[in-house]
Amino acid sequence: KNEVEQSPQNLTAQEGEFITINCSYSVGISALHWLQQHPGGGIVSLFMLSSGKKKHGRLIATINIQEKHSSLHITASHPRDSAVYICAARRNYGGATNKLIFGTGTLLAVQP
Amino acid sequence: DVKVTQSSRYLVKRTGEKVFLECVQDMDHENMFWYRQDPGLGLRLIYFSYDVKMKEKGDIPEGYSVSREKKERFSLILESASTNQTSMYLCASSLYNQPQHFGDGTRLSIL
């Protein structure tokens, strides 16, 4: 079993729909990251959170530390939101760096 | 804005060749990472470096080595390329405990 699990693996939505992508993890973490990868490869960091909720534009990320669960929400979805969304956990090792454990990603297609 | 630059977007090499993938960042980040990304497996860490000349193995270091002679540059070396190393390779950099900034990736094919 992967230490970071995402669901669903694939998601198709109609423009304007509210979208939720889920991430569960089984290890102790110091932070949870949400990343976006568009076709062609480039990965962009959307959020880093360790508690509560963060919002940026139409994107909202939440985390429940006790339940070891995070969600990424997209309100009023648009075709330009089509991408792979990746959840990554920064494990609680200590040490000199911030190694991440990645989920396998959710492929989102928003149709006009 | 942070810029992480990978030397090639696409690369085709032959089995047995020694392959160098270069990554340069312009933000004085201590940490640099090399990942490979394969369908259904997500990103997997090959090696990382937390300072010049310092390196640690990631989850899948076999068949790879790295070099970090200068803070801004982190090189991934495939000592003797094999077909199972055909993949997308991504470099990233970060400050300690801050989000990682990724390059655009190198799609490497080993024939």
Side-chain angles (χ1 to χ4, degrees):
Chain A
K1 190 179 190 301
N2 292 338
E3 293 173 303
V4 177
E5 298 270 1
Q6 283 184 241
S7 62
Q9 287 189 314
N10 294 282
L11 181 57
T12 300
Q14 294 298 313
E15 184 172 356
E17 282 185 15
F18 180 84
I19 288 163
T20 296
I21 299 170
N22 295 300
C23 176
S24 298
Y25 52 92
S26 57
V27 295
I29 69 167
S30 56
L32 193 289
H33 296 250
W34 283 101
L35 309 166
Q36 180 191 56
Q37 184 174 28
H38 278 288
I43 294 177
V44 174
S45 179
L46 297 174
F47 295 104
M48 180 178 76
L49 64 166
S50 53
S51 66
K53 176 178 167 178
K54 286 191 176 180
K55 185 175 189 290
H56 186 259
R58 293 180 295 105
L59 302 178
I60 303 166
T62 64
I63 189 167
N64 184 318
I65 297 294
Q66 286 73 32
E67 294 186 3
K68 295 188 174 176
H69 182 269
S70 176
S71 293
L72 177 69
H73 305 286
I74 305 174
T75 61
S77 60
H78 189 276
R80 65 175 174 266
D81 297 325
S82 299
V84 175
Y85 291 84
I86 302 168
C87 164
R90 188 171 78 223
R91 203 164 175 178
N92 229 346
Y93 309 99
T97 189
N98 54 325
K99 290 196 290 185
L100 299 177
I101 308 167
F102 294 86
T104 54
T106 295
L107 176 59
L108 171 65
V110 181
Q111 296 178 341
Chain B
D1 229 13
V2 177
K3 185 75 177 168
V4 179
T5 303
Q6 293 185 229
S7 51
S8 306
R9 288 301 307 274
Y10 301 94
L11 204 53
V12 180
K13 296 290 182 180
R14 298 215 170 267
T15 54
E17 281 193 65
K18 191 168 185 176
V19 181
F20 293 86
L21 301 182
E22 305 286 346
C23 176
V24 176
Q25 50 95 3
D26 64 358
M27 283 302 291
D28 206 35
H29 287 169
E30 302 96 354
N31 297 332
M32 295 189 76
F33 307 82
W34 274 108
Y35 299 96
R36 64 178 282 176
Q37 185 179 32
D38 300 288
L41 297 177
L43 282 104
R44 293 179 292 166
L45 181 65
I46 304 170
Y47 267 97
F48 66 95
S49 168
Y50 49 90
D51 204 348
V52 175
K53 297 190 189 292
M54 307 302 285
K55 60 187 179 186
E56 282 194 27
K57 293 179 181 178
D59 302 315
I60 50 164
E62 297 78 19
Y64 303 95
S65 62
V66 289
S67 171
R68 192 161 180 206
E69 296 296 318
K70 293 185 178 180
K71 193 172 186 180
E72 67 269 20
R73 185 180 296 270
F74 191 34
S75 302
L76 179 70
I77 303 151
L78 284 66
E79 297 290 344
S80 178
S82 63
T83 54
N84 63 12
Q85 291 178 311
T86 291
S87 187
M88 169 72 96
Y89 289 87
L90 288 147
C91 174
S93 73
S94 76
L95 293 170
Y96 176 62
N97 279 350
Q98 292 302 305
Q100 294 181 20
H101 298 263
F102 287 82
D104 289 336
T106 296
R107 192 166 292 282
L108 175 65
S109 297
I110 307 295
L111 304 178

